[in-house]
């Protein structure tokens, strides 16, 4: 009896967690935001090399223009992944792509730290939240 007061028939049932679905939507929106910011960072690196402040003796140094192209491409992928996540209703493949792309975004923003420290830290935090939200899952099994 599934509706018994003792809960005897509830073992093995899965229940959708509404808050997890909401977190997936928020994660998709945050991926889109992170992607747009990466596109702006990329445009800034490509358009004007002198705009960026470069720390001396930074271990991970490269051309600002080259790094701008990487940020621009990664930003486009982040926006596409976020759009697929929101539009696809949180499909498993979109969640997996979102986790991978957010991880790449975290690495890219770590390497971007000497150029825009504040925004890099903000975007690292957003990407960490996105990974958490996408790994939470949308179902659970009742005991």
């Amino acid at each position: 009896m599934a509706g018994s007061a003792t809960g005897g028939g509830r073992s093995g049932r899965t229940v959708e967690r509404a808050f997890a679905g909401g977190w997936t939507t928020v994660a998709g929106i945050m991926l889109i935001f992170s992607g747009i910011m990466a596109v702006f960072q990329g445009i800034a690196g490509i358009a004007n090399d002198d705009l960026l402040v470069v720390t001396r003796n930074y271990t991970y140094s490269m051309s600002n223009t080259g790094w701008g192209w990487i940020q621009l491409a990664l930003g486009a992928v982040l926006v596409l992944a976020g759009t697929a996540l929101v539009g696809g209703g949180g499909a498993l493949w979109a969640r997996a792509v979102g986790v991978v792309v957010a991880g790449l975004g975290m690495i890219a923003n770590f390497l971007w730290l000497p150029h825009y420290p504040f925004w890099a830290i903000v975007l690292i935090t957003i990407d960490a939240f996105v990974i958490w939200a996408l790994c939470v899952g949308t179902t659970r099994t009742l005991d």
Side-chain angles (χ1 to χ4, degrees), residues 13-61:
R13 271 190 13 207
T14 57
V15 175
E16 288 287 324
R17 294 192 302 188
F19 74 90
W23 282 123
T24 302
T25 303
V26 170
I29 292 168
M30 295 309 275
L31 265 178
I32 293 170
F33 172 76
S34 180
I36 291 170
M37 291 308 300
V39 166
F40 287 150
Q41 288 174 343
I43 290 171
I46 294 167
N48 192 358
D49 261 356
D50 299 331
L51 175 69
L52 302 174
V53 176
V54 180
T55 307
R56 286 183 278 171
N57 300 325
Y58 186 60
T59 304
Y60 307 104
S61 63

Side-chain angles (χ1 to χ4, degrees), residues 27-114:
I29 292 168
M30 295 309 275
L31 265 178
I32 293 170
F33 172 76
S34 180
I36 291 170
M37 291 308 300
V39 166
F40 287 150
Q41 288 174 343
I43 290 171
I46 294 167
N48 192 358
D49 261 356
D50 299 331
L51 175 69
L52 302 174
V53 176
V54 180
T55 307
R56 286 183 278 171
N57 300 325
Y58 186 60
T59 304
Y60 307 104
S61 63
M62 77 182 299
S63 162
N64 286 337
T65 304
W67 195 238
W69 281 107
I70 290 171
Q71 287 282 56
L72 186 67
L74 182 62
V77 173
L78 283 164
V79 169
L80 289 174
T83 305
L85 193 61
V86 172
L92 182 61
W93 67 267
R95 295 165 67 88
V97 168
V99 168
V100 170
V101 172
L104 291 174
M106 285 179 73
I107 293 169
N109 282 303
F110 173 75
L111 297 174
W112 192 253
L113 271 171

